[in-house]
Each structure stands twice: as structure tokens, then as C-alpha cells.
Amino acid sequence: MRGIFFDEDDARAAALVLVRGGFSAEVLRERLAGEDDDEDHPWAVVTDAPEVQLEMLVETYDGWLDRDDEDSVATQPPTKAGFVLPLPDAPKRIKRPE
């Protein structure tokens, strides 16, 4: 999970709070698509802290959350009680069963 901050000092302060809380935190420069000026890129804090704690820090320092796991959740097959649900092999015929 990543917290994105506009100011380097805010990102470093948030990372320090997380490290003092016993979590790992790394401050990186976040490259956004379409940004040509290096000075306009925001700062990212990559951490293993709980989402609630990082959310409180981004609210305090006027940033936003970037959840890494949203794409992986969307690509997982649907499950029921841990089993993959069966998918049909062909369309279901209603009018003329074969």
C-alpha cells in the first residue's frame, strides 16, 4: 500500500511515524504519467502498515491512498467457500435444446 504526498517533508514525516510504530516505510519519488517537470512529481510512502493508519496520515498531510491490490482482486476468479465456481462451456439453449 502506498500513501501519496505532495511535499517531501510531509512524506518523510509520515514515514517516520510509521517506522516509530514498528512498520517498514520507504519514501520514493512518484512519477506520474504526463508530468514533464521533475519538481512537480509527488512523493510516495510505501509501507506494510494497516490501511487505517496510513489513511489517517494521508488525511493529516493532505495526500491520498494508492491501493496496490485493487487490480489483483479484480482478476481473481469468483469463489464460494474457497472453491472456484464452474463456468459454462457454451451458451445455454432455451428454445431448442439439443
Side-chain angles (χ1 to χ4, degrees):
M1 177 149 335
R2 299 182 312 167
I4 309 297
F5 301 90
F6 290 106
D7 188 34
E8 180 183 8
D9 294 335
D10 292 343
R12 295 208 182 275
L16 183 62
V17 169
L18 293 171
V19 168
R20 286 183 179 166
F23 303 104
S24 66
E26 182 180 3
V27 178
L28 305 169
R29 195 67 187 246
E30 183 71 17
R31 304 271 183 215
L32 297 178
E35 290 288 332
D36 294 332
D37 188 9
D38 283 340
E39 296 300 317
D40 289 339
H41 293 297
W43 294 86
V45 175
V46 181
T47 183
D48 62 347
E51 181 177 340
V52 173
Q53 189 163 7
L54 187 58
E55 186 175 6
M56 289 173 30
L57 288 170
V58 296
E59 285 180 14
T60 301
Y61 294 109
D62 197 28
W64 73 90
L65 280 179
D66 185 20
R67 294 174 181 89
D68 294 331
D69 58 346
E70 288 178 332
D71 295 333
S72 64
V73 170
T75 59
Q76 291 178 351
T79 61
K80 183 176 182 181
F83 298 102
V84 176
L85 299 176
L87 297 175
D89 295 330
K92 191 177 204 180
R93 295 199 179 261
I94 298 175
K95 303 260 181 186
R96 290 186 246 161
E98 293 180 9

